[in-house]
């Protein structure tokens, strides 16, 4: 079955530090990969996605590249801000089942940025 | 203009009670989902419906019964609530074949 393994948290960084949150996956088909973000007290929001190997998803200064050879989708940001403090979820969706695009999530990584 | 809304936002109840959580989406999507987020923030799919038909049922106890009266609504009814049901429940919607899911704000259920 499909699974997602992501870096255990919590992660605490100073403002303007470089961020990497590791994510690796196991899938039987050709999954799409996602990063979702959950700000305190809110639901999840899609941060970025990539649908095929070597695709790079990017949004709000965050980037992640779909690496099929290492089955990874690591999230990076060059200079984090206090407002980036949230829980980040790596997820995959198996595209082989139309109308059945359930998301399989990693365990989430709590990120705290201190001024 | 909330895209995916859930009610109630908080629900505190006693063990053994029956409760419902409602979800509505105004995005015109044909697929809706329920996810459960436990105390450690782990998120897991429970159900999905496509055009009011049950598509995914991920080994959820039959005390949980989703109902989709139309494509815009997916409600979750829980019978005989147990302590382990305490969690945040998220509703989501998407258009089949499109990858992006839109999540509601969550319902925090506490069973005492």
């Amino acid at each position: 079955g499909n699974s997602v393994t992501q870096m255990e948290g919590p992660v605490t960084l100073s403002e303007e530090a470089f961020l990497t949150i590791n994510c690796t996956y196991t899938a039987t088909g050709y999954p799409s990969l996602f990063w979702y973000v959950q700000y305190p007290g809110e639901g999840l929001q899609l941060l970025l996605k990539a649908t095929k190997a070597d695709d790079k998803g990017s949004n709000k200064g965050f980037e992640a590249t779909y690496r099929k050879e290492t089955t990874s989708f690591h999230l990076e940001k060059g200079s984090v801000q206090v407002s980036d403090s949230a829980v980040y979820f790596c997820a995959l969706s198996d595209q082989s089942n139309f109308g059945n695009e359930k998301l399989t999530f990693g365990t989430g990584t709590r990120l705290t940025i201190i001024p | 203009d909330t895209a995916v809304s859930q009610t109630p936002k908080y629900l505190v109840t006693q063990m053994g009670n029956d409760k419902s959580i409602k979800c509505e989406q105004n995005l015109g999507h044909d697929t809706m989902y329920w996810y459960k987020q436990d105390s450690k923030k782990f998120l897991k799919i429970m159900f999905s419906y496509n055009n009011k038909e049950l598509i995914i049922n991920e080994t959820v106890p039959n005390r949980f019964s989703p109902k989709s009266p139309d494509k815009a609504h997916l409600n979750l009814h829980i019978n005989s609530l147990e302590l382990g049901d305490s969690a945040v429940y998220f509703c989501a919607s998407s258009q089949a074949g499109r990858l992006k899911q839109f999540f509601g704000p969550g319902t925090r259920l506490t069973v005492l």
Side-chain angles (χ1 to χ4, degrees), chain A:
Chain A
N2 297 337
S3 68
V4 176
T5 303
Q6 69 180 98
M7 180 174 165
E8 292 269 344
V11 173
T12 303
L13 295 172
S14 297
E15 207 166 19
E16 299 183 4
F18 183 86
L19 168 72
T20 300
I21 302 178
N22 289 340
C23 171
T24 57
Y25 67 90
T26 303
T28 50
Y30 298 93
S32 291
L33 302 174
F34 308 83
W35 277 100
Y36 277 80
V37 58
Q38 185 179 25
Y39 297 104
E42 298 183 14
L44 279 77
Q45 302 173 27
L46 179 65
L47 180 60
L48 53 85
K49 71 177 192 293
T51 58
K52 60 184 188 300
D54 300 325
D55 264 4
K56 179 187 278 189
S58 60
N59 186 24
K60 298 182 181 179
F62 290 89
E63 291 182 341
T65 301
Y66 189 145
R67 301 279 187 209
K68 194 161 182 248
E69 63 277 12
T70 53
T71 61
S72 65
F73 193 55
H74 305 321
L75 182 69
E76 295 182 336
K77 185 173 185 181
S79 175
V80 292
Q81 307 300 315
V82 172
S83 57
D84 294 327
S85 298
V87 181
Y88 292 81
F89 292 90
C90 186
L92 69 81
S93 175
D94 185 345
Q95 298 181 90
S96 61
N97 297 315
F98 185 87
N100 185 14
E101 288 95 356
K102 69 175 185 179
L103 288 168
T104 300
F105 286 93
T107 51
T109 302
R110 182 180 296 279
L111 173 66
T112 302
I113 307 301
I114 52 178

Side-chain angles (χ1 to χ4, degrees), chain B residues 50-84:
Chain B
N50 177 258
N51 282 316
K52 303 194 298 172
E53 300 279 337
L54 179 66
I55 303 296
I56 298 172
N57 181 342
E58 289 282 309
T59 61
V60 177
N62 58 15
R63 297 183 295 104
F64 290 78
S65 51
K67 287 199 171 40
S68 183
D70 55 58
K71 286 198 310 183
H73 296 84
L74 180 62
N75 303 323
L76 184 64
H77 188 76
I78 315 169
N79 289 327
S80 303
L81 277 155
E82 300 178 357
L83 292 176

Side-chain angles (χ1 to χ4, degrees), chain B residues 10-110:
Chain B
Y10 299 96
L11 185 53
V12 181
T13 188
Q14 300 286 332
M15 242 180 4
N17 284 351
D18 304 338
K19 290 293 178 187
S20 292
I21 307 172
K22 295 187 177 181
C23 178
E24 176 180 3
Q25 54 94 5
N26 63 6
L27 298 166
H29 290 161
D30 58 6
T31 306
M32 295 184 72
Y33 310 81
W34 278 110
Y35 290 87
K36 179 180 179 181
Q37 185 177 46
D38 64 22
S39 58
K40 295 183 180 177
K41 295 288 188 182
F42 186 61
L43 263 166
K44 190 169 164 55
I45 183 84
M46 298 174 70
F47 301 102
S48 83
Y49 271 71
N50 177 258
N51 282 316
K52 303 194 298 172
E53 300 279 337
L54 179 66
I55 303 296
I56 298 172
N57 181 342
E58 289 282 309
T59 61
V60 177
N62 58 15
R63 297 183 295 104
F64 290 78
S65 51
K67 287 199 171 40
S68 183
D70 55 58
K71 286 198 310 183
H73 296 84
L74 180 62
N75 303 323
L76 184 64
H77 188 76
I78 315 169
N79 289 327
S80 303
L81 277 155
E82 300 178 357
L83 292 176
D85 298 332
S86 296
V88 181
Y89 293 84
F90 286 101
C91 178
S93 74
S94 69
Q95 189 64 24
R98 301 281 179 88
L99 299 173
K100 185 174 178 178
Q101 292 186 18
F102 292 76
F103 283 77
T107 295
R108 181 176 294 277
L109 171 65
T110 304

